[in-house]
Amino acid sequence: MARPDEVAELFGTAGFPWWIAGGHAVDLAVGREVRPHGDVDVVVLRRDQERVHECLADWDLYVADPPGAGRLRPWEPGEFLAPPLHGLWCRRSPSAPWSVELLLDESEAGEWVSRRDARIRLPLDRLGRVSTTGIPYLAPEVLLFYKAKATREKDRVDFEAVLPRLGTEQRAWLLGALDVCQPQHRWRARLIQGDRDGDG
């Protein structure tokens, strides 16, 4: 199983932006391990996929096609993955366990663009943070937006851990994003209450 520091070593000089996502990003945001994890989730931009493939040339790479169907096929060298394909499963060899899941995200004119709704955007320079150990990770408000889609118990745990770390601007962005996609989401009340209390 890969760790964020191993991903940082792998992508550190690759020349394209990347961000740890998922549960490991929660750990990096709060400075401690919140819960156990499986693989490492990493967000990269679709525009950089050729360089990603080159960086992982010695790895065994598969794409989820179609998304959400539980089927994988090899990601061939030189193959450009267009939407809706966005999930890549990576392992060091065919006999090794899956260790990294790459997520291809959209961008346009210096902005990150949500796959769920193109109205939800964020300047690329606000998409990530850097941990105290120098590892890039997804901005907490974007991370929670991902996790809000189909909330599981582990997502609730992550929300509780990250919520106190959100500032007013981050809460406002997440509220706006949820208003577009999930206006009845139960996290909205907690985000609004936090602003009223002056939390963050």
Side-chain angles (χ1 to χ4, degrees):
M1 177 174 58
R3 303 187 309 269
D5 59 331
E6 293 174 324
V7 174
E9 184 175 352
L10 183 66
F11 288 155
T13 59
F16 54 82
W18 58 274
W19 303 269
I20 297 292
H24 284 288
V26 172
D27 295 349
L28 293 171
V30 304
R32 63 179 175 85
E33 184 175 292
V34 172
R35 57 176 176 80
H37 309 293
D39 59 3
V40 178
D41 299 332
V42 181
V43 167
V44 295
L45 299 178
R46 186 178 300 277
R47 70 184 190 194
D48 296 321
Q49 63 176 282
E50 182 178 352
R51 288 191 286 177
V52 171
H53 205 301
E54 291 172 356
C55 189
L56 298 175
D58 295 333
W59 284 54
D60 196 35
L61 306 176
Y62 280 71
V63 57
D65 185 7
R71 294 198 298 270
L72 300 174
R73 64 168 178 82
W75 183 24
E76 302 294 346
E79 178 187 9
F80 183 86
L81 301 176
L85 302 180
H86 65 270
L88 298 164
W89 290 80
C90 314
R91 55 189 177 186
R92 294 185 181 276
S93 71
S95 60
W98 301 112
S99 56
V100 176
E101 182 179 3
L102 290 175
L103 302 170
L104 299 178
D105 267 16
E106 312 305 323
S107 60
E108 179 182 302
E111 290 186 316
W112 169 83
V113 181
S114 169
R115 289 193 308 270
R116 295 176 62 190
D117 192 306
R119 293 173 293 174
I120 300 172
R121 296 169 177 248
L122 194 67
L124 285 174
D125 61 6
R126 285 184 51 198
L127 185 59
R129 306 285 186 272
V130 179
S131 74
T132 56
T133 56
I135 299 175
Y137 64 94
L138 204 62
E141 63 270 30
V142 180
L143 177 66
L144 291 179
F145 173 68
Y146 273 111
K147 288 177 166 290
K149 181 178 180 181
T151 310
R152 303 153 293 183
E153 175 59 22
K154 67 179 182 179
D155 301 316
R156 186 196 65 77
V157 170
D158 291 344
F159 175 78
E160 296 296 339
V162 170
L163 181 61
R165 305 278 177 155
L166 296 182
T168 300
E169 186 176 13
Q170 294 170 293
R171 289 174 186 267
W173 183 90
L174 181 54
L175 275 168
L178 291 177
D179 284 345
V180 171
C181 289
Q182 294 171 269
Q184 303 304 317
H185 200 285
R186 61 188 181 210
W187 287 354
R188 291 188 72 262
R190 294 288 307 283
L191 291 162
I192 293 169
Q193 186 61 48
D195 276 346
R196 289 174 178 166
D197 294 343
D199 184 16

